[in-house]
Amino acid sequence: MFLFAYTAMARKFYFSSSTGNDSYTVTQAQNQATPWKTIGKLNSLTTGTNGPSVFLPGDTLCFKRGDVFANGAANGYASVQWVNTPGSTYWTAPSGTQANPIVITNYGSTSLPLPNWLYPSATYPVNYWPYTREGRAVIAFKGVHDIIIDGIQSDDYRVPSSDKSNPGYTGGWILEIGRAHV
């Protein structure tokens, strides 16, 4: 009975880089007509910058097909830092549960390409210490579990493959640090 009542409360949040607005409220962002705009907004909601995360086990984060999301945390090693450090007031990212994972997926017309997540810039070196070889990840997880990513891509074509002198913007897609279980 409890599981049924909890699952019924699961929410969907929408993101669209083409039509969204990061000033929308948590309630507004649960409507496809009023999505949040950036993965920077997602990043701010999975760290303690706005208090504990708004996301709960069973929630679904939906990113619009055909949109490109390249505007995360330009001052760090990952666009989205989904990190939970016990005892920290800043690193308070949520986890799902085995019965109610947090799901990151897409929405919109299936004739459009999958939403494309990218790292915002090439300003950090690929071997950014202490994350050697994994610098500039699109999303980094630490201390979280039961998060499912399905139907999101990361195809970074901003630096042509023929350009051998400039580093790519995106160094990697997913970085798991420590005890993350995604």
Side-chain angles (χ1 to χ4, degrees), residues 68-153:
V68 175
F69 297 87
N71 42 16
N75 61 347
Y77 65 90
S79 288
V80 177
Q81 298 176 49
W82 198 300
V83 175
N84 184 15
T85 302
S88 172
T89 58
Y90 184 78
W91 298 111
T92 58
S95 288
T97 66
Q98 189 172 14
N100 293 294
I102 295 173
V103 177
I104 300 171
T105 190
N106 65 73
Y107 74 99
S109 173
T110 57
S111 66
L112 295 172
L114 294 173
N116 196 7
W117 283 20
L118 304 173
Y119 188 80
S121 72
T123 57
Y124 274 81
V126 172
N127 292 327
Y128 178 63
W129 183 90
Y131 308 100
T132 306
R133 294 178 307 193
E134 290 93 6
R136 296 197 316 267
V138 174
I139 186 166
F141 293 100
K142 179 182 178 186
V144 296
H145 52 84
D146 297 297
I147 297 170
I148 297 172
I149 300 175
D150 182 37
I152 305 290
Q153 68 179 341

Side-chain angles (χ1 to χ4, degrees), residues 4-182:
F4 175 74
Y6 183 77
T7 303
M9 294 176 52
R11 305 163 301 168
K12 284 188 177 181
F13 295 92
Y14 296 92
F15 291 80
S16 172
S17 64
S18 60
T19 64
N21 186 324
D22 284 346
S23 66
Y24 288 139
T25 66
V26 169
T27 302
Q28 288 173 311
Q30 293 178 59
N31 184 324
Q32 286 186 35
T34 53
W36 285 316
K37 185 174 185 73
T38 67
I39 56 176
K41 179 66 173 184
L42 172 61
N43 193 55
S44 75
L45 295 172
T46 55
T47 62
T49 56
N50 292 315
S53 174
V54 300
F55 305 122
L56 301 171
D59 284 348
T60 301
L61 314 180
C62 305
F63 289 81
K64 189 173 183 182
R65 292 180 72 105
D67 282 0
V68 175
F69 297 87
N71 42 16
N75 61 347
Y77 65 90
S79 288
V80 177
Q81 298 176 49
W82 198 300
V83 175
N84 184 15
T85 302
S88 172
T89 58
Y90 184 78
W91 298 111
T92 58
S95 288
T97 66
Q98 189 172 14
N100 293 294
I102 295 173
V103 177
I104 300 171
T105 190
N106 65 73
Y107 74 99
S109 173
T110 57
S111 66
L112 295 172
L114 294 173
N116 196 7
W117 283 20
L118 304 173
Y119 188 80
S121 72
T123 57
Y124 274 81
V126 172
N127 292 327
Y128 178 63
W129 183 90
Y131 308 100
T132 306
R133 294 178 307 193
E134 290 93 6
R136 296 197 316 267
V138 174
I139 186 166
F141 293 100
K142 179 182 178 186
V144 296
H145 52 84
D146 297 297
I147 297 170
I148 297 172
I149 300 175
D150 182 37
I152 305 290
Q153 68 179 341
S154 182
D155 295 326
D156 196 342
Y157 300 114
R158 292 174 289 181
V159 176
S161 59
S162 60
D163 185 346
K164 305 298 183 194
S165 61
N166 291 311
Y169 289 85
T170 302
W173 168 225
I174 296 176
L175 171 61
E176 292 184 73
I177 308 166
R179 296 182 165 214
H181 175 70
V182 180

